[in-house]
Each structure stands twice: as C-alpha cells, then as structure tokens.
Amino acid sequence: SLYRKGTDIRMLPCSFWFLLLFAAGGLVLFIHLQDLSEMVQQQGPGDDRPLRQRCLCVPHQWPCSPAQSCQPDYISAGSGGPKERRCPAGDRPLNTSAVLLPHIFSSSSASGSLSADRWKTLSRVLEARQQLMKEICAKYKSSISRTITRHHVAHIYVEDKYKLLYCQVPKAGCSNWKRTLMVLAGQASNAQSIKHDTVHYGNHLKRLDSFDRQGIMRRLETYTKVVFVREPLERLVSAYRDKFENPNNYYHSLFGKPIISKYRVNASKAALSTGNGVTFQEFVQYLLDVHRPVGMDIHWEPANQLCNPCLLDYDFIGKFENMEEESNFLLRRTGAPRNLTLPNFKDRNPSAERTSMQITQKYFAQVSMWERQRMYDFYYMDYLMFNYSKPFKDLY
Ligand SMILES: *[C@@H]1O[C@H](CO)[C@@H](O)[C@H](O)[C@H]1NC(C)=O
Ligand SMILES: *[C@@H]1O[C@H](CO)[C@@H](O)[C@H](O)[C@H]1NC(C)=O
Ligand SMILES: *[C@@H]1O[C@H](CO)[C@@H](O)[C@H](O)[C@H]1NC(C)=O
Ligand SMILES: *[C@@H]1O[C@H](CO)[C@@H](O)[C@H](O)[C@H]1NC(C)=O
C-alpha cells in the first residue's frame, strides 16, 4: 500500500514525504548497522566518494525503496508516466542518503560476488569499451542507417522482469545466458534444470522483434542492453568445429553439400550426397567467395552485424574471454537474486576441448597467408569495435 501511495508522489505535501524519508532512513540504518563496517571495506563501484554520500539502488525497479528517490534523468523520456520510472542503475551514485543494499555487496563470499577492487576495475573496463565503441561508430557513421527496424533487433532476447535486452551472438556463451534469462524470468528455478534443446528451440524467451514498434522502442530506451562478444576468428573456428566436425544433418545438408560441390575437386558421391566432412580450408574458401553458393549463418556472421552496436548503443559490452566474472558483475548490478550466477555448461560435444586461441591457430595454419589476411579483413569491424588485437603476427 505504501507503494501504491508512492505513485501519487507529487501530490503529497513535502513535510509528509520528508518525515517518511527520515523514518525509513533511520530504519534502514538501524537494520544495516551491523553490516556497516563490512560495507565500508567493500565500498564500491568506481566511485571514490565517502559512502555516506552514495546511494545504491536496485536498478530498474519502481517504486524505489522509500529512502531513495528517482532523479529526473532516470525518468525515461518518451512514453512517460510513473510506470515508466525506474531507479538508477546499480552503480550510479545518488546523493539522497546512504541506502545500503546487502544483496549488491554481499557480505558472504558466495560465488558470483566480487571484491570492491574487481568491481571498480570492471566498471572502468566496461566503460572504456563503450567509449571505444562510440568513437569507432562516430568515425564510420556515414555508412550506417539511423532508423531502427525490426531487422536490427531480430537477435535480441527480452527479459521484462529485470528489464534486460540480450543480443545473441552464437558461440560467445549464448546458451548459458539464455538459461540465465529463463531463470530471471521465472521459467525455471535454476539453470541446471534446463536442457540444451529447451534453451534453443523451446521458444520460451521473447524476441524483441516480436513486439510492435512502440514496444520495441520503449524497451530499447529503458532496458539494459547487453551483448557478449568473442575473439572473431576463435568464434569462427568454434562454429566450424561445432557444425562440421560433428554429426549435424541440418548444417551438413544445407551448407556442407554446396560447399563440397563447389570447392572440392573430384568429390566422392558419398560426400556430395551427405555434405559430411567439409574441411576447414573449404569452409574458409566459402566464406571468402564473393559468389557464395549458400548464404551466411548467424554462427559465423560478424557480431556487429548481428547486434548493430552503432545503432543500438549497448549499455554492457561483455567478453566471452572473461564471461563468468563479467556476467556475474552484470547480474549483481541488475539486482538479480544473489544465488543466481552464470552457469558454465558446454552443451555440444562436451568431451571435445573448448576452442582456444591455440586451437584457432592450428586451424588457420591449414590455410594460406593470403586467406588468413582475408579472414581478418572479413571480421575487421569486429576487431576494431570490440578491441581485439591481431590474432596472427603476419597480418597487416
Ligand atoms: C545533492 O543534490 C542536490 C540537488 O540535486 C544538490 O543541490 C546538492 O548540492 C547535492 N549534494 C551533494 C552533497 O552533492
Ligand atoms: C584495448 O585492448 C588493449 C589490449 O588488450 C587494452 O590495453 C586497452 O585498454 C583496450 N582499450 C579499450 C578502450 O578498451
Ligand atoms: C535461489 O534461492 C531460491 C530461494 O531460496 C530458490 O527457490 C532458487 O531455486 C534458487 N536459485 C538458484 C539458481 O539456485
Ligand atoms: C580427378 O579424377 C580424374 C579421373 O578420375 C583424374 O584424372 C584427376 O587426376 C583427378 N584430379 C585430382 C585433382 O585428383
């Protein structure tokens, strides 16, 4: 009932609100007094000001807890109204009063909680990534259309409860993130209980392009937009190993057959009719062919083309290379249940070694220097936008 009153916030007399604030603040202070010393040590995300001037909130929930107030810049533009308000994102400081939320800076050492130092470092790293993205996008913006269409958001999954938009980049940890989204949405009690096929074919998660234009724009404006990327050529090798080195009727038939028939000299009848056994070299030939016999696929489409970072301005650009820590950082920042951490499943071919940079180099040793260079060029925008360095010494 307190919350229902809260929606009429502007109609209450100042003195009432002030009193309420005081009372609630005192209560909160009392409750958390015991945690205080720990809190000071674990202070916080990228902000060196004394704790008392800061206010940590559960992001994206409205109403905010009583002692918090939503600052005007957090009231989303556009579709307006009290329902659209939200509290500031997890690590944004407010100067109202010190509300300490134990579930952000957990005093327990549960997995998924981060030390204050790591939290600060990650905040800076992620901010730098966003900054770099802005610079690259500004530099190349002439070639980018500014109108968002359904097509631009086709790979984005929606989690309405915690207001997350997750752009799916296959082979960059997306199964585990989709599991996590399903747990956040209350579709499963824990990630362990969700089978791989349910994740990918269950149609449990809503995609952003399934909403009408207003629904799309409202979510893009007010939700936390997240993408996880991976070293582009490592991602490519991972896709090749997954789809072509293992039994897979769909990929062998749709991609294997035309690839073998175009690039293999004297292909056997069996190879032509099954599409089994595409070599890495043939796969690279197909990718570099301006007249590909079959189109691209999301597993090897450049991440920037799947997720359109210059158009959608992601709030969180995570990296597969540090997936677990960055995901848990995001989950804590989002105010997800404390016991929820990113699961670490390797769904397909669990016995095969995970694709590493070493493995990637072995595969690229099978193609010519010219092809290595062309493949790097092919993913060049991903390298630039996501700040990956040249994977081989002989590239220019
Ligand atoms: C707190 O915010 C108010 C208004 O936004 C401002 O006038 C005041 O100086 C701030 N106080 C501190 C300690 O930053
Ligand atoms: C880009 O990557 C390099 C090397 O990994 C790192 O030193 C640098 O800080 C990164 N720059 C940005 C803007 O993230
Ligand atoms: C977290 O705890 C809640 C309540 O104790 C429980 O229902 C839920 O299954 C747990 N979630 C995970 C991911 O373990
Ligand atoms: C392909 O097969 C033909 C006939 O069997 C043979 O003459 C030719 O040398 C083969 N070419 C290659 C590249 O193996």
Side-chain angles (χ1 to χ4, degrees):
S1 67
L2 176 65
Y3 284 166
R4 213 164 296 136
K5 270 181 209 155
T7 52
D8 292 318
I9 186 170
R10 281 160 301 184
M11 293 156 81
L12 292 168
C14 268
S15 53
F16 170 84
W17 197 233
F18 191 75
L19 263 176
L20 184 66
L21 215 105
F22 230 77
L27 188 67
V28 168
L29 199 65
F30 175 74
I31 291 168
H32 295 296
L33 211 55
Q34 288 174 312
D35 293 346
L36 204 59
S37 59
E38 266 168 318
M39 292 295 178
V40 173
Q41 281 162 18
Q42 301 199 359
Q43 201 189 17
D47 184 355
D48 296 326
R49 279 183 290 162
L51 189 67
R52 225 163 283 168
Q53 287 178 27
R54 305 177 57 238
C55 166
L56 306 168
C57 309
V58 182
H60 313 326
Q61 282 182 6
W62 180 260
C64 305
S65 74
Q68 300 167 344
S69 66
C70 281
Q71 302 290 44
D73 59 318
Y74 295 110
I75 298 168
S76 69
S79 34
K83 273 185 223 136
E84 287 304 310
R85 293 184 194 196
R86 54 181 184 161
C87 302
D91 57 349
R92 296 285 291 269
L94 282 182
N95 79 1
T96 47
S97 70
V99 173
L100 307 168
L101 286 175
H103 78 262
I104 292 187
F105 295 104
S106 147
S107 54
S108 78
S109 56
S111 64
S113 72
L114 291 152
S115 75
D117 274 355
R118 281 310 291 163
W119 185 287
K120 275 188 193 177
T121 306
L122 283 177
S123 299
R124 281 197 205 104
V125 167
L126 283 152
E127 213 161 283
R129 284 181 200 161
Q130 270 185 286
Q131 193 52 42
L132 176 73
M133 180 66 69
K134 283 202 177 77
E135 283 161 24
I136 304 289
C137 290
K139 202 166 151 188
Y140 290 86
K141 82 173 169 236
S142 57
S143 60
I144 289 156
S145 96
R146 301 309 305 171
T147 313
I148 297 171
T149 64
R150 211 168 280 279
H151 161 80
H152 291 122
V153 301
H155 302 290
I156 294 182
Y157 287 86
V158 177
E159 205 297 294
D160 279 318
K161 196 164 147 203
Y162 288 88
K163 300 191 189 292
L164 286 175
L165 296 177
Y166 169 77
C167 185
Q168 164 177 247
V169 176
K171 313 314 295 175
C174 75
S175 304
N176 285 325
W177 254 101
K178 281 159 93 176
R179 282 196 172 88
T180 303
L181 292 178
M182 288 169 71
V183 175
L184 284 174
Q187 293 168 359
S189 61
N190 65 69
Q192 279 68 25
S193 64
I194 310 168
K195 291 199 175 72
H196 178 265
D197 281 359
T198 313
V199 173
H200 287 292
Y201 311 111
N203 276 330
H204 293 291
L205 294 169
K206 280 173 283 180
R207 290 210 329 212
L208 190 53
D209 64 355
S210 68
F211 294 91
D212 63 13
R213 177 151 190 89
Q214 205 195 352
I216 293 174
M217 294 315 292
R218 184 173 63 80
R219 285 176 176 81
L220 282 173
E221 279 161 19
T222 58
Y223 285 17
T224 304
K225 300 183 283 295
V226 177
V227 60
F228 273 87
V229 296
R230 182 176 185 177
E231 206 290 328
L233 294 188
E234 185 183 296
R235 177 174 161 244
L236 179 73
V237 169
S238 174
Y240 166 77
R241 294 175 74 206
D242 177 16
K243 301 303 175 205
F244 296 105
E245 288 189 346
N246 296 287
N248 189 323
N249 281 337
Y250 179 80
Y251 275 89
H252 294 190
S253 170
L254 193 65
F255 291 92
K257 284 190 214 172
I259 289 175
I260 289 174
S261 112
K262 180 152 185 189
Y263 307 110
R264 188 175 298 178
V265 184
N266 284 357
S268 71
K269 275 207 183 102
L272 285 170
S273 69
T274 59
N276 294 347
V278 169
T279 66
F280 186 65
Q281 207 186 1
E282 288 162 350
F283 181 57
V284 166
Q285 276 182 282
Y286 142 79
L287 284 168
L288 295 178
D289 190 345
V290 283
H291 303 291
R292 283 184 207 113
V294 51
M296 288 293 283
D297 179 81
I298 54 169
H299 291 83
W300 43 89
E301 182 105 34
N304 77 81
Q305 288 177 25
L306 292 171
C307 297
N308 302 291
C310 287
L311 204 53
L312 302 181
D313 194 16
Y314 286 86
D315 304 293
F316 192 103
I317 301 165
K319 291 204 170 176
F320 179 83
E321 289 75 13
N322 186 26
M323 183 95 197
E324 214 173 309
E325 189 184 37
E326 289 176 18
S327 299
N328 292 331
F329 175 66
L330 175 62
L331 287 170
R332 301 291 77 81
R333 236 174 65 165
T334 309
R338 272 170 78 175
N339 59 355
L340 180 62
T341 55
L342 190 82
N344 186 24
F345 288 112
K346 185 176 186 297
D347 284 305
R348 307 244 188 209
N349 323 305
S351 58
E353 196 183 343
R354 260 184 220 264
T355 305
S356 61
M357 228 29 226
Q358 257 177 332
I359 291 181
T360 302
Q361 301 215 347
K362 273 188 205 149
Y363 278 81
F364 274 94
Q366 300 165 27
V367 305
S368 69
M369 200 182 119
W370 181 82
E371 284 170 315
R372 273 199 295 279
Q373 179 67 45
R374 293 282 318 280
M375 286 310 300
Y376 175 66
D377 297 343
F378 187 81
Y379 288 101
Y380 184 66
M381 283 316 288
D382 276 4
Y383 275 97
L384 212 55
M385 287 177 165
F386 304 118
N387 193 28
Y388 284 105
S389 48
K390 280 181 203 162
F392 311 116
K393 286 200 187 87
D394 56 3
L395 299 171
Y396 54 86

